[in-house]
């Protein structure tokens, strides 16, 4: 009887051990697959941006659309956010694009761990814009997080514009939603309005020739730009 009981206990211990091994393997496998997927997402977006910045065109743009989710092997759903960040160096600017698990971001925000990231050193002035849903305006920022599952409108598109203006290169990163008709084009034009007004304020063009502050990348209407109320996030 004792031997029978011991054999059952040994079988139970073996079963528990095997279960623990399987669970550990499953979590390790999931983490590895998600890390590789996140790396591919960030690298692909950064490669597209690199091609744009290296083009010889004075004005060029692209739209990067991020999928709302990835389903792996029909069993694992991966939800994520995309963080874009600009850092200024002594010679070049640094663009960092990172992938963060969405639940981690919602719980920890700035302390959420990055799964994978891609960085490029860029010989350009990088201007990142956030999007304030309350005022419905793009705002200049050093960092913005695209939440591809945000409600009511997912921020799943990144409009990237390269501009050469008076010999200097600028790279604009403008968020928007592919689900909201016209938002991407409107946000781009609002950024053009912001830059036009900023260049006038900074004395880039003379007060008698403000049209020289216009950019071919942003075909704004000057009257509309100057007549609309300026958002507080644009500065004084």
């Amino acid at each position: 009887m004792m031997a029978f009981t011991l054999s059952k206990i040994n079988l139970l211990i073996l079963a528990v051990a095997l279960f623990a091994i399987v669970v550990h393997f499953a979590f390790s496998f999931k983490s590895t697959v998600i890390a590789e997927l996140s790396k591919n997402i960030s690298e692909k977006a950064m490669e597209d941006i690199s091609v744009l910045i290296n083009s010889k065109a004075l004005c060029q743009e692209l739209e990067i659309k991020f999928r709302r989710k990835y389903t792996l092997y029909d069993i694992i759903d991966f939800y994520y956010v995309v963080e874009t960040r600009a850092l200024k160096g002594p010679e070049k600017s640094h663009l960092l694009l990172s992938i963060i698990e969405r639940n981690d971001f919602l719980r920890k925000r700035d302390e959420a761990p990055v799964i994978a990231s891609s960085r490029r050193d860029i010989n350009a002035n990088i201007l990142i814009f956030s999007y304030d849903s309350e005022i419905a305006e793009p705002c200049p920022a050093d960092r913005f997080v695209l939440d591809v599952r945000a409600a009511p409108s997912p921020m799943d598109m990144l409009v990237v514009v390269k501009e050469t203006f008076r010999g200097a290169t600028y790279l604009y990163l403008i968020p928007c939603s592919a689900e909201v008709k016209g938002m991407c084009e409107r946000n781009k034009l609002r950024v053009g309005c912001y830059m036009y007004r900023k260049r006038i304020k900074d004395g880039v063009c003379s007060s008698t020739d403000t049209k020289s502050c216009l950019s071919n990348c942003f075909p704004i209407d000057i009257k509309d730009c100057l007549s609309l109320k300026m958002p507080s996030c644009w500065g004084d």
Side-chain angles (χ1 to χ4, degrees):
M1 184 67 179
M2 181 64 71
F4 177 77
T5 303
L6 289 174
S7 67
K8 291 296 184 182
I9 292 174
N10 288 335
L11 285 175
L12 179 60
I13 293 173
L14 178 61
V16 171
L18 288 174
F19 177 76
I21 292 172
V22 170
V23 170
H24 175 74
F25 175 78
F27 275 103
S28 297
F29 177 71
K30 177 182 177 181
S31 298
T32 300
V33 171
I34 287 178
E36 187 63 26
L37 173 60
S38 299
K39 179 181 177 182
N40 291 338
I41 296 172
S42 61
E43 283 291 337
K44 178 61 171 62
M46 197 64 82
E47 286 174 7
D48 291 342
I49 293 173
S50 295
V51 171
L52 177 73
I53 199 67
N54 290 327
S55 71
K56 297 185 180 300
L58 297 180
C59 182
Q60 194 165 341
E61 71 175 79
L62 66 87
E63 293 182 347
I64 302 175
K65 189 176 188 302
F66 294 95
R67 289 172 56 174
R68 298 193 69 183
K69 76 170 182 178
Y70 286 86
T71 301
L72 311 173
Y73 303 103
D74 295 324
I75 56 173
I76 303 173
D77 287 337
F78 175 53
Y79 304 101
Y80 63 100
V81 298
V82 183
E83 180 193 62
T84 56
R85 186 187 295 268
L87 304 170
K88 292 183 179 180
E91 295 182 359
K92 293 186 176 182
S93 298
H94 313 294
L95 178 63
L96 188 67
L97 191 147
S98 302
I99 305 299
I100 302 170
E101 201 276 326
R102 187 171 187 267
N103 284 336
D104 283 345
F105 173 74
L106 294 178
R107 287 196 305 266
K108 302 176 183 178
R109 294 291 171 176
D110 293 343
E111 297 180 0
V114 171
I115 301 175
S117 62
S118 181
R119 169 176 162 164
R120 291 292 187 278
D121 296 334
I122 297 176
N123 189 20
N125 299 297
I126 302 174
L127 292 97
I128 289 178
F129 290 83
S130 64
Y131 183 76
D132 190 323
S133 58
E134 292 186 3
I135 63 173
E137 291 285 0
C139 298
D142 293 327
R143 165 186 178 268
F144 182 64
V145 174
L146 286 166
D147 185 352
V148 297
R149 291 185 64 82
S153 303
M155 300 302 290
D156 57 356
M157 188 81 80
L158 189 63
V159 179
V160 187
V161 180
K162 175 207 170 182
E163 174 194 36
T164 301
F165 182 81
R166 298 193 176 186
T169 302
Y170 297 84
L171 188 70
Y172 306 92
L173 291 96
I174 309 164
C176 60
S177 174
E179 300 294 319
V180 180
K181 185 177 180 180
M183 179 191 278
C184 293
E185 185 61 24
R186 179 190 179 278
N187 283 4
K188 192 181 80 169
L189 291 177
R190 292 299 286 159
V191 167
C193 180
Y194 164 79
M195 291 303 300
Y196 174 68
R197 296 175 71 148
K198 183 177 186 302
R199 284 167 178 163
I200 292 175
K201 177 184 174 183
D202 293 345
V204 174
C205 49
S206 67
S207 58
T208 58
D209 184 25
T210 58
K211 287 186 178 181
S212 63
C213 279
L214 285 172
S215 165
N216 290 328
C217 298
F218 303 101
I220 65 170
D221 184 298
I222 294 178
K223 289 183 178 179
D224 286 345
C225 176
L226 296 179
S227 63
L228 292 173
K229 183 180 179 181
M230 188 170 67
S232 59
C233 65
W234 287 14
D236 298 329

